[in-house]
């Protein structure tokens, strides 16, 4: 089954890097998205915030970012944990959008 999400947004929050029990780097973040989309033939404003997590080398790259950076995030959605089925974006690739003041 397909479970791929690609979204462009602004890095709203970035948690400090921590490590899993196996020693893998891990960082949590919140990505804010704002756009205009067409739904049922009608244009509408879309605003949302999406929680995410990055592991390994992507976590190391993301940990050098700062809030306010715009990025294109690609990954898959998974439940936050066994008790909460709220979706969390697990990053598989990030690309910082050029032209902003914090570009990497």
């Amino acid at each position: 089954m397909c479970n791929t999400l690609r979204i462009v947004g602004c890095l709203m929050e970035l948690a400090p890097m921590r490590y899993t029990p196996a020693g893998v780097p891990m960082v949590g973040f919140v990505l804010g998205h704002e756009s205009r989309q067409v739904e049922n033939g009608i244009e509408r404003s879309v605003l949302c915030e999406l929680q995410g997590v990055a592991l390994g080398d992507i976590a190391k790259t993301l940990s050098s970012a700062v809030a306010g950076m715009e990025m294109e995030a690609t990954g898959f959605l998974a439940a936050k944990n066994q008790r909460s089925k709220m979706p969390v974006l697990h990053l598989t690739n990030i690309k910082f959008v050029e032209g902003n003041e914090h570009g990497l």
Side-chain angles (χ1 to χ4, degrees), residues 37-43:
Q37 301 294 321
V38 176
E39 181 179 35
N40 195 32
I42 300 169
E43 190 173 284

Side-chain angles (χ1 to χ4, degrees), residues 6-92:
R6 190 182 85 200
I7 190 167
V8 175
C10 179
L11 186 60
M12 310 272 297
E13 296 176 23
L14 184 62
M17 188 155 49
R18 54 194 173 115
Y19 294 86
T20 68
V24 178
M26 178 177 176
V27 66
F29 66 95
V30 176
L31 187 67
H33 172 82
E34 182 176 347
S35 66
R36 305 273 310 156
Q37 301 294 321
V38 176
E39 181 179 35
N40 195 32
I42 300 169
E43 190 173 284
R44 62 176 284 198
S45 289
V46 174
L47 298 167
C48 65
E49 291 183 4
L50 183 61
Q51 288 188 348
V53 65
L55 288 112
D57 290 338
I58 294 176
K60 291 177 186 177
T61 300
L62 186 59
S63 70
S64 65
V66 294
M69 292 180 77
E70 192 169 343
M71 62 186 231
E72 178 181 304
T74 304
F76 61 91
L77 296 175
K80 184 173 185 174
N81 55 45
Q82 290 183 347
R83 291 184 306 254
S84 173
K85 300 305 178 203
M86 293 300 294
V88 172
L89 173 62
H90 288 250
L91 284 185
T92 57

